[in-house]
Amino acid sequence: MTFQQMIRTLNDYWEKQGALLLYPYDMEKGAGTFNPHTFLRSLDRRPWKAAYVEPCRRPKDGRYGENPYRGQHYFQYQVVFKPVPENIQDLYIKSLACLGLVPEEHDIRFVMDDWESPTVGAWGLGWEVWVDGMEVTQYTYFQQVGGLEVDPVTVELTYGLERLAMYIQDVESMFDLKWNEETTYGEIYHQNEVENSFYNLQAADTALLWDTFEANEKECLRLVSEELVRPAYDFVIKNSHLFNVLEARGAISVSERTNFIGRIRKLARACARVYREKESRGEDNA
Amino acid sequence: MRDLLLEIGVEELPADYIPGAIASLEAQFRRLFEENRITVGSSEALATPRRLVFFCRGVAEKEEDRTEKVMGPPRNICIKEGKATMAYEKFLEKNNLTESDIFWEETEKGAYLAAHRFVPGRMTRQIITEAWPGILGAVEFPKKMRWDDSGLLFARPVRWLLAFWGEEILPLKAGGVTVGQETFLLRNSPEKRARVSSPATYFEVVEKSGLILSRERRRKVILEGLQAVLEKSGASSFHSESLVEEVVDLVEAPFVLTGEIEKHYLALPPEVISAAMSQHQRYFSFYREGKVLPLFAFVANGSFVHPGKVIRGNERVLKARLDDAMFYWKEDTSRGVERLFDLLDTVTWMEGLGSLSEKAARLESLTAFLFDGDETARTGARMSKIDIVSEMIKDGKEFTKLQGSIAKYYLLEDGREEEVACIAEEHYWPRVWGDSLPRPRAAAVGLADRADNIIGAFLKGFIPTGTKDPYALRRQANSMIALILGYEKGEVHLDKGFDLESVQELFIKTARLYGVEVLPPKEEPELLRQVNDFFEDRFRAQLRALGIPYDIVDAVCDTPEKDLKVKYRKALAFKALSGRDEFRDVAATFRRVNNIVKKAREELRVEDFGPPRDDLFVEKETKAMSREWVKVKEEIQRAGDDYDRIFNAILYFKTLVDPFFDTVLVMDKDESLRNNRLALLQDISALFGGIVNFDHIVVT
């Protein structure tokens, strides 16, 4: 099964479960959770079922394309359901079966892994899902997002697409994955890994990034005060990514780290609060 | 009588939640039965990651009938002018009683209307049904969650519920789930669910499916599997026992499988290979003669007819982790130890307290003080932190727990002296009270490191209070005490202890290295007072942990003595002496001496009554006491640390002090006589007080 077939299979499967098939958000981000389809939508009371591929960036994981398992850019497949269907675990296992990972032949395990993102003031309980010892999905029941209790609870399933594909295609390096029958993952993304690793780890202009961080923060707070939640939230995403680049670049000391995370969290909480307020006033119906 | 069976089906519980959850479930039911006088047979609390099960045999149909005494109003309210009142009638009516049921109960406050009422036992099914929501909500978990709008908080979502009262189904709910008739089986078995009609059929169905409800039986299966691997591979041990305990609660049906690793990974230190296997993946590694074998065992959930895919998958994952470890190992060793040492400069140790290289420098200078400038010890101290900046350890990977061991390997790899390498590893020992002690040089570095951690944390205001101790300073102080007393594996060996006469002095030196100005003994900054109090508190707690009664602990600690070993020896001696009949009386007498001196100082506002003068003793009791005091004093000084001999001298002296107190009034009107008596008592109080503080001894 090629990489693109895998995505199509998951899309087909989750579409049958009633999910909206959506698209990635058009900004750099560390995880599919940052997409407003997850972050903001988990804060309101309306039902929500969505599935989408999310390209993610983790600048620190850049290895110049030399590490077979790790990259600063990769893909997640994200599924969010609210309220949580009673048979969600079963639905998830069946999605693996669609990819050929049937429980009769593979050891599928739910290993406790409570999730927390101090940057966006979110936490939840759940597992990392193992297939034959390999972690393939993060499975979380959100409890708080943006510092607010969520009600109803949203369940988030985050598949690590490269890992799953490497296992399914039985290849040793993500760059050897078949995107389709003719083209490999490496042919599309290897050079991107090399150049962006250089950028993240060596070339990024930290002074410029600092200034941008400060400016974004101001803009975010201004927009929050005008209750323009979505544009304000974009600046949370931007700053979270800038923080990640600065950290990869070694420009943030251990002691400053907590402080910066706190600054981003403050913005995320402000956005969450205003989103919730507008929704409860009936002014935000997406 | 019926059997009761409850199964709460859940999405996978965290392994370490399971033992506490079933214990609390069972305890609640036992309490319910006891409180309601429901007779029951034996019960069992069982669990797998997907289910909590409570089973109880022979539960009575109903609680026992009983008679209950009901009290009514007092006689003068019930009977007025010889006639029954409304209150009287109401009581009968309310309790459904007739004249023949009632009697007058005599109490301290007079006679009250009373009756014995027959209370028929309620039906057990009803009692359980009513108590169920409370029991379910009170199952103990470290963390609970919400998942639907039912309001139930539980460790993970509840997905099914069985509740059999014999063959009858109790009408229970668990959050949004209503009791059903199906249990869920293993995910890899052909049948995913099975119908159940009674407790007996439940156990049949479960047994047939291969699920093992008992933790003990799962443990046995795992241990047998590991034993088979040991025999087949010729290994002598596996790593580790504690992993077995965790894996027991990670699977519903353990199936031990083995995989292989390529031989070239064996170039890595065995600890690294074991950590790659155990830390995240929960695989078992195998050892023969201290060397790791190129294989591993893991425990799959449920049996597989063709486990080949499962094994290959696990081998792949492990290979990736070992590749990571190999990459770190090569990166670190190719750069050499000096490069790592230089990197210490770039890492903050604690916010505002400088870098790791500054810490290393402090450790070197403290070690020089503790170990007479020994060059090897100093080098060990300087190099003790190099692995913190290594690829293998930094950023909290699965190998982080190997901090210390990794430094040792890198130093050896770099051709450094073996003793230096071992210091880097062992200076963290004992990690907890009771662990093995390090060699002496490592002990010196370990004392320095912990003193440095404690002073640093106190400087930052991270002072342990109540349950808050983010830097685990209590454990660090305990380790210092273990190093000094030579405590390991449940026993104190003073000869193995590190000779450090005064921990306070080490703290002062450490504080100075941080730039704190200290001019002892008078000008002790608040910081050091707090540190010393904290340490003293730990020392007393550890003496108690060693079985010294608390009053003896306080009596030997509340003296000017600073040497922990001396205090320990004294504590042991006085613990033994406290068994003697005279001990409490001796304590009482000399406590009285202390009190008189203390009170006189306060009341007369005299700091020091000076040396006693013979010519001012008049009574024969006073003269006798003062004459003997000179001899007793000499005897005690000669006795050294022979506390039996010291105590005998004190005991003898008591026979002179008692008649003195019986006949002489210390606070004489004549100031010179009075002050001279006080001078003598002050002398006694000071000498004994230097040995043991009798004020703390519990007398009665």
Side-chain angles (χ1 to χ4, degrees):
Chain A
M1 190 182 280
T2 63
F3 200 76
Q4 65 190 31
Q5 280 167 348
M6 257 178 70
I7 292 171
R8 194 164 67 227
T9 305
L10 286 171
N11 273 342
D12 286 349
Y13 176 79
W14 286 108
E15 183 180 26
K16 283 197 196 97
Q17 312 313 320
L20 289 163
L21 297 185
L22 297 174
Y23 292 91
Y25 203 52
D26 56 348
M27 292 173 75
E28 308 102 312
K29 73 209 79 64
T33 313
F34 279 91
N35 189 319
H37 294 326
T38 296
F39 182 86
L40 292 178
R41 289 312 296 252
S42 68
L43 285 162
D44 61 49
R45 294 201 53 85
R46 287 163 289 162
W48 185 241
K49 291 180 184 180
Y52 53 90
V53 173
E54 190 73 62
C56 301
R57 301 201 191 198
R58 300 241 165 116
K60 250 168 87 174
D61 282 353
R63 294 289 185 277
Y64 304 93
E66 285 164 16
N67 186 303
Y69 324 102
R70 234 186 273 275
Q72 54 80 45
H73 179 274
Y74 61 96
F75 293 91
Q76 290 182 345
Y77 190 88
Q78 173 95 344
V79 178
V80 279
F81 270 60
K82 174 184 64 165
V84 182
E86 219 181 288
N87 61 341
I88 181 68
Q89 222 185 357
D90 201 33
L91 289 180
Y92 167 72
I93 289 170
K94 288 194 172 122
S95 78
L96 291 182
C98 292
L99 299 173
L101 301 170
V102 294
E104 288 76 12
E105 291 173 14
H106 296 276
D107 190 19
I108 297 169
R109 303 268 286 278
F110 293 80
V111 180
M112 180 237 203
D113 188 24
D114 294 344
W115 171 83
E116 193 185 359
S117 168
T119 321
V120 290
W123 67 275
L125 303 184
W127 311 272
E128 50 183 53
V129 184
W130 287 10
V131 173
D132 300 331
M134 182 175 56
E135 183 191 340
V136 294
T137 302
Q138 187 77 34
Y139 182 139
T140 308
Y141 293 98
F142 288 166
Q143 303 288 299
Q144 266 200 4
V145 171
L148 301 175
E149 295 278 318
V150 292
D151 181 23
V153 167
T154 295
V155 65
E156 178 195 65
L157 306 171
T158 305
Y159 300 72
L161 286 177
E162 286 83 351
R163 287 208 188 180
L164 265 172
M166 282 166 72
Y167 193 49
I168 291 166
Q169 295 184 15
D170 197 17
V171 298
E172 303 275 325
S173 163
M174 63 192 246
F175 299 107
D176 295 337
L177 285 171
K178 282 185 191 160
W179 193 279
N180 70 4
E181 291 299 338
E182 281 97 47
T183 308
T184 66
Y185 188 101
E187 285 172 74
I188 308 168
Y189 283 110
H190 187 267
Q191 189 58 24
N192 180 58
E193 270 310 300
V194 177
E195 289 182 14
N196 272 303
S197 293
F198 265 105
Y199 173 76
N200 296 329
L201 302 169
Q202 298 183 44
D205 177 347
T206 55
L208 172 70
L209 296 181
W210 281 130
D211 291 347
T212 316
F213 185 95
E214 304 272 344
N216 286 346
E217 189 178 45
K218 273 201 199 102
E219 185 66 346
C220 180
L221 290 170
R222 186 179 72 82
L223 293 167
V224 163
S225 71
E226 295 185 20
E227 297 202 334
L228 292 168
V229 179
R230 285 170 178 76
Y233 178 64
D234 282 353
F235 286 94
V236 178
I237 303 179
K238 286 182 213 260
N239 266 10
S240 165
H241 177 66
L242 287 180
F243 168 80
N244 290 340
V245 178
L246 283 163
E247 201 187 16
R249 190 75 172 75
I252 297 177
S253 76
V254 179
S255 53
E256 288 166 327
R257 200 171 176 275
T258 324
N259 176 27
F260 277 103
I261 290 175
R263 281 168 70 175
I264 303 166
R265 184 169 57 240
K266 205 175 129 204
L267 304 180
R269 292 172 85 120
C271 291
R273 185 175 43 76
V274 176
Y275 181 84
R276 175 80 52 95
E277 280 167 13
K278 285 180 84 171
E279 201 245 349
S280 64
R281 292 200 304 262
E283 292 171 19
D284 190 330
N285 295 310
Chain B
M1 278 198 318
R2 303 192 195 197
D3 291 347
L4 171 70
L5 175 90
L6 286 149
E7 180 184 49
I8 309 167
V10 286
E11 296 182 3
E12 276 77 352
L13 294 170
D16 60 349
Y17 285 23
I18 290 174
I22 51 176
S24 78
L25 183 63
E26 183 171 31
Q28 290 195 76
F29 270 107
R30 305 288 322 187
R31 205 177 314 124
L32 181 75
F33 294 147
E34 202 183 299
E35 280 170 3
N36 290 285
R37 292 165 303 275
I38 298 167
T39 60
V40 295
S42 58
S43 66
E44 275 174 276
L46 304 158
T48 72
R50 278 181 90 197
R51 61 202 82 224
L52 298 175
V53 178
F54 176 73
F55 176 58
C56 191
R57 295 175 190 84
V59 184
E61 287 288 339
K62 54 200 270 284
E63 68 177 325
E64 286 167 18
D65 298 335
R66 63 188 195 276
T67 50
E68 199 177 71
K69 188 160 74 184
V70 277
M71 299 289 286
R75 175 144 50 190
N76 59 0
I77 303 285
C78 292
I79 310 286
K80 283 194 174 150
E81 296 159 5
K83 279 187 194 159
T85 62
M86 274 291 284
Y88 177 90
E89 298 294 345
K90 277 259 171 71
F91 177 74
L92 262 67
E93 195 189 312
K94 194 178 96 194
N95 293 292
N96 199 17
L97 300 165
T98 64
E99 299 269 344
S100 60
D101 298 324
I102 57 152
F103 59 94
W104 297 102
E105 171 93 354
E106 293 297 333
T107 73
E108 281 175 13
K109 293 182 201 158
Y112 279 72
L113 185 59
H116 287 299
R117 190 175 56 180
F118 174 76
V119 185
R122 294 193 308 150
M123 300 306 285
T124 303
R125 78 187 301 285
Q126 188 191 347
I127 292 172
I128 295 172
T129 307
E130 283 170 18
W132 172 249
I135 290 176
L136 185 70
V139 175
E140 283 173 24
F141 297 112
K143 250 193 233 172
K144 295 188 184 186
M145 63 174 278
R146 296 174 292 125
W147 62 94
D148 61 13
D149 58 1
S150 70
L152 178 64
L153 293 173
F154 216 66
R156 287 293 182 272
V158 177
R159 294 305 184 199
W160 78 89
L161 178 66
L162 293 182
F164 283 97
W165 173 233
E167 292 183 5
E168 193 182 324
I169 293 173
L170 294 175
L172 308 184
K173 294 186 85 173
V177 173
T178 307
V179 71
Q181 295 188 68
E182 272 188 336
T183 187
F184 286 58
L185 306 177
L186 287 166
R187 293 210 177 86
N188 63 348
S189 62
E191 298 291 322
K192 311 288 184 216
R193 300 178 185 203
R195 210 176 157 78
V196 176
S197 57
S198 66
T201 54
Y202 173 78
F203 287 111
E204 275 168 34
V205 160
V206 163
E207 186 75 34
K208 219 178 92 196
S209 75
L211 271 169
I212 303 180
L213 294 174
S214 146
R215 303 182 65 238
E216 285 67 37
R217 273 184 58 205
R218 287 201 299 274
R219 182 183 301 117
K220 203 166 154 256
V221 170
I222 294 169
L223 286 172
E224 281 167 4
L226 294 174
Q227 188 58 39
V229 181
L230 280 171
E231 279 163 21
K232 207 174 148 206
S233 65
S236 52
S237 66
F238 68 84
H239 177 86
S240 67
E241 295 280 349
S242 63
L243 190 58
V244 174
E245 285 311 301
E246 190 189 351
V247 173
V248 160
D249 288 320
L250 282 175
V251 289
E252 300 206 282
F255 188 53
V256 178
L257 293 168
T258 53
E260 292 176 5
I261 61 170
E262 288 163 31
K263 291 223 167 56
H264 75 270
Y265 292 120
L266 299 181
L268 287 164
E271 289 94 332
V272 171
I273 297 173
S274 273
M277 291 181 182
S278 69
Q279 282 297 323
H280 193 266
Q281 298 300 132
R282 281 91 165 180
Y283 299 158
F284 295 90
S285 45
F286 292 85
Y287 282 76
R288 184 168 56 208
E289 288 157 12
K291 291 205 172 96
V292 169
L293 300 181
L295 62 104
F296 66 100
F298 64 100
V299 182
N301 189 29
S303 63
F304 292 85
V305 190
H306 302 292
K309 283 185 186 172
V310 179
I311 293 171
R312 256 205 330 278
N314 280 278
E315 282 175 343
R316 271 176 68 107
V317 181
L318 181 58
K319 183 177 179 309
R321 290 190 179 276
L322 289 169
D323 279 344
D324 270 348
M326 196 55 113
F327 171 78
Y328 303 143
W329 171 263
K330 283 184 179 154
E331 279 286 301
D332 291 335
T333 52
S334 69
R335 289 191 294 184
V337 161
E338 281 306 321
R339 165 83 182 123
L340 288 174
F341 183 76
D342 291 343
L343 279 174
L344 292 177
D345 203 28
T346 64
V347 177
T348 308
W349 173 58
M350 209 187 274
E351 196 182 339
L353 294 179
S355 67
L356 275 175
S357 76
E358 286 168 76
K359 183 179 174 74
R362 284 194 302 275
L363 295 192
E364 184 178 353
S365 107
L366 291 171
T367 302
F369 157 69
L370 289 166
F371 216 84
D372 297 329
D374 178 90
E375 198 48 50
T376 306
R378 289 179 59 162
T379 312
R382 191 167 62 239
M383 293 295 170
S384 61
K385 302 294 172 193
I386 51 156
D387 54 352
I388 299 182
V389 292
S390 68
E391 292 295 324
M392 191 75 84
I393 299 294
K394 72 175 192 190
D395 297 341
K397 306 184 183 84
E398 63 258 54
F399 307 111
T400 300
K401 280 192 176 161
L402 301 179
Q403 192 176 320
S405 302
I406 294 301
K408 175 185 78 176
Y409 281 108
Y410 288 170
L411 287 161
L412 289 174
E413 204 55 25
D414 206 57
R416 304 298 174 107
E417 207 182 322
E418 191 175 340
E419 178 81 11
V420 168
C422 290
I423 290 171
E425 177 173 52
E426 294 176 18
H427 81 283
Y428 292 110
W429 302 359
R431 288 185 200 267
V432 291
W433 182 249
D435 275 4
S436 296
L437 293 170
R439 58 193 81 198
R441 287 188 178 91
V445 180
L447 283 168
D449 189 26
R450 290 169 180 107
D452 189 75
N453 291 341
I454 291 171
I455 295 283
F458 271 68
L459 271 170
K460 293 288 295 173
F462 298 124
I463 299 169
T465 50
T467 53
K468 274 196 199 145
D469 184 10
Y471 287 84
L473 299 183
R474 292 194 181 109
R475 203 181 64 209
Q476 306 213 29
N478 291 352
S479 292
M480 291 177 77
I481 294 161
L483 287 169
I484 294 167
L485 294 185
Y487 177 79
E488 65 179 350
K489 297 174 191 122
E491 267 181 83
V492 170
H493 306 274
L494 286 181
D495 54 325
K496 282 194 185 176
F498 191 86
D499 287 317
L500 177 62
E501 273 176 31
S502 162
V503 177
Q504 283 77 10
E505 204 183 331
L506 175 62
F507 285 135
I508 289 172
K509 288 210 182 298
T510 312
R512 283 203 179 119
L513 290 170
Y514 274 107
V516 179
E517 281 202 38
V518 195
L519 304 165
K522 289 266 159 62
E523 302 227 353
E524 188 183 76
E526 177 67 7
L527 168 81
L528 280 167
R529 197 191 53 73
Q530 286 175 329
V531 169
N532 288 334
D533 284 354
F534 159 76
F535 191 83
E536 174 71 25
D537 204 50
R538 290 326 300 158
F539 184 64
R540 291 187 191 200
Q542 292 319 98
L543 284 185
R544 290 194 293 270
L546 291 169
I548 313 283
Y550 75 93
D551 61 336
I552 302 287
V553 169
D554 290 343
V556 299
C557 286
D558 192 8
T559 64
E561 180 61 58
K562 287 209 182 323
D563 192 317
L564 302 190
K565 285 183 179 173
V566 174
K567 283 197 202 185
Y568 174 72
R569 266 202 299 269
K570 228 189 255 182
L572 273 195
F574 280 98
K575 181 190 169 188
L577 288 166
S578 71
R580 284 172 63 169
D581 295 338
E582 323 83 56
F583 185 76
R584 309 276 155 192
D585 290 341
V586 168
T589 297
F590 293 101
R591 217 156 106 163
R592 195 169 164 195
V593 172
N594 293 345
N595 281 337
I596 290 173
V597 175
K598 206 172 110 197
K599 243 175 101 182
R601 276 188 182 138
E602 280 166 17
E603 280 171 14
L604 305 172
R605 298 207 181 117
V606 177
E607 277 274 309
D608 184 354
F609 294 98
R613 282 166 49 187
D614 280 346
D615 58 314
L616 288 172
F617 292 124
V618 286
E619 312 80 2
K620 68 175 193 317
E621 290 82 3
T622 320
K623 282 183 172 162
M625 187 169 86
S626 116
R627 195 174 53 240
E628 287 307 300
W629 175 238
V630 182
K631 295 182 198 160
V632 167
K633 218 167 150 176
E634 272 177 24
E635 167 67 5
I636 286 175
Q637 272 147 9
R638 268 200 303 270
D641 59 0
D642 182 347
Y643 296 103
D644 280 331
R645 196 170 151 191
I646 290 173
F647 184 73
N648 284 335
I650 297 176
L651 187 60
Y652 163 71
F653 191 58
K654 177 180 183 291
T655 63
L656 298 151
V657 179
D658 288 339
F660 165 79
F661 278 138
D662 290 344
T663 53
V664 180
L665 187 68
V666 178
M667 302 307 267
D668 201 285
K669 281 181 194 134
D670 182 322
E671 194 186 319
S672 58
L673 290 184
R674 180 195 69 198
N675 283 3
N676 198 50
R677 285 171 197 158
L678 285 167
L680 177 59
L681 292 179
Q682 169 184 281
D683 206 22
I684 297 164
S685 175
L687 182 70
F688 292 176
I691 300 163
V692 61
N693 192 331
F694 285 116
D695 291 354
H696 297 287
I697 301 297
V698 176
V699 174
T700 45

